[in-house]
Amino acid sequence: MIKNIVLGAFIFISGFFSAQMTAMSGAEAKAFVAKVSSETQEIKTLQSDFTQTKKMDFLDKSIVTYGKMSLKSPNMLSWKYTKPYQYSIVFKEGKIFINDQGKKSSVDAKSKTFEKINKLIVGSSNGKMFSDPEFTVSYYKNGNFNVAKFTPKSAQLLKYIKQIELHFPKNQSTVSQVNMTEASGDTTNIVFKNTKINAAIAASEFSL
């Protein structure tokens, strides 16, 4: 369960990777990275509702869940699934805290794949994701979106993730959609809406 939640949570914030998508030139990619990195420096908090759709090989129907994501700089992140079940996961103080419908637990995130995942999610709010040494990044575009595609470098991370695509609407520096393909071939799509930037977030959002 935790693997699905954490991998599904990649992080952040729409349009699909269509046949019309073309690779950016070196100059375009450099300008895109510079713009996002500069503008996201001002983000201290971020909140968004999300819809997650997971397609698994052995299931005929996709699994659709709904919830709320909250992020507070520099490294606090909360994912709370509210429908059709209640499941919360919070990254803070180098640990992962979990509340599975009332059953609480914690996991040391240091030196684990989850720590790398958390780092990339948080990085998507401040532009640092583009320089993450764990991933090779390539850049694409179409009429509506800029897309950054992340491919893991390490064999450890490749056991879980094949690639991650972050979709940025044109003229916007926050992610509106995430498409992820796991090593198994299963896919996760997360669409964010009602995003709030730099609004106050209650401390309770990061407590379970």
Side-chain angles (χ1 to χ4, degrees):
M1 182 63 172
I2 185 173
K3 187 186 81 169
N4 290 341
I5 296 296
V6 174
L7 294 181
F10 253 105
I11 38 302
F12 245 101
I13 335 189
S14 213
F16 291 91
F17 193 81
S18 66
Q20 290 75 32
M21 196 70 66
T22 58
M24 291 186 189
S25 67
E28 288 173 327
K30 184 176 181 179
F32 167 68
V33 170
K35 180 177 184 294
V36 172
S37 298
S38 174
E39 294 182 0
T40 53
Q41 290 296 319
E42 304 301 318
I43 297 177
K44 304 302 180 184
T45 68
L46 192 148
Q47 301 171 83
S48 184
D49 298 325
F50 67 85
T51 300
Q52 177 179 304
T53 303
K54 188 172 181 64
K55 296 181 180 180
M56 305 177 75
D57 238 5
F58 60 89
L59 295 177
D60 293 332
K61 293 184 178 181
S62 299
I63 301 171
V64 181
T65 51
Y66 305 87
K68 179 180 180 180
M69 181 277 301
S70 301
L71 182 146
K72 185 174 183 179
S73 180
N75 56 10
M76 297 175 68
L77 179 67
S78 168
W79 291 82
K80 295 189 176 180
Y81 291 75
T82 57
K83 184 180 177 181
Y85 53 79
Q86 294 186 333
Y87 188 102
S88 300
I89 181 166
V90 173
F91 295 84
K92 67 177 181 179
E93 300 168 355
K95 289 187 176 182
I96 301 170
F97 299 88
I98 302 162
N99 187 337
D100 185 357
Q101 301 184 87
K103 184 179 180 181
K104 299 181 181 181
S105 59
S106 64
V107 179
D108 186 354
K110 291 186 179 297
S111 301
K112 296 181 181 292
T113 299
F114 296 142
E115 186 272 338
K116 295 181 178 67
I117 293 173
N118 178 45
K119 181 181 177 182
L120 187 59
I121 297 171
V122 174
S124 68
S125 71
N126 58 25
K128 293 181 179 179
M129 58 184 167
F130 299 125
S131 58
D132 192 313
E134 295 289 339
F135 296 89
T136 297
V137 190
S138 52
Y139 302 93
Y140 299 83
K141 64 179 181 177
N142 65 12
N144 299 313
F145 299 93
N146 294 314
V147 176
K149 183 168 70 172
F150 294 76
T151 303
K153 294 180 181 179
S154 71
Q156 180 189 21
L157 204 51
L158 280 167
K159 292 179 181 178
Y160 300 94
I161 303 166
K162 184 177 180 181
Q163 69 177 35
I164 300 158
E165 296 171 4
L166 302 184
H167 293 240
F168 298 78
K170 289 291 180 69
N171 301 317
Q172 182 175 312
S173 295
T174 54
V175 180
S176 64
Q177 177 171 295
V178 177
N179 292 337
M180 184 182 68
T181 303
E182 297 179 27
S184 64
D186 295 342
T187 62
T188 299
N189 166 260
I190 303 175
V191 175
F192 297 89
K193 63 179 182 179
N194 303 324
T195 299
K196 299 177 182 178
I197 297 174
N198 291 336
I201 300 179
S204 58
E205 288 296 320
F206 303 101
S207 299
L208 298 179

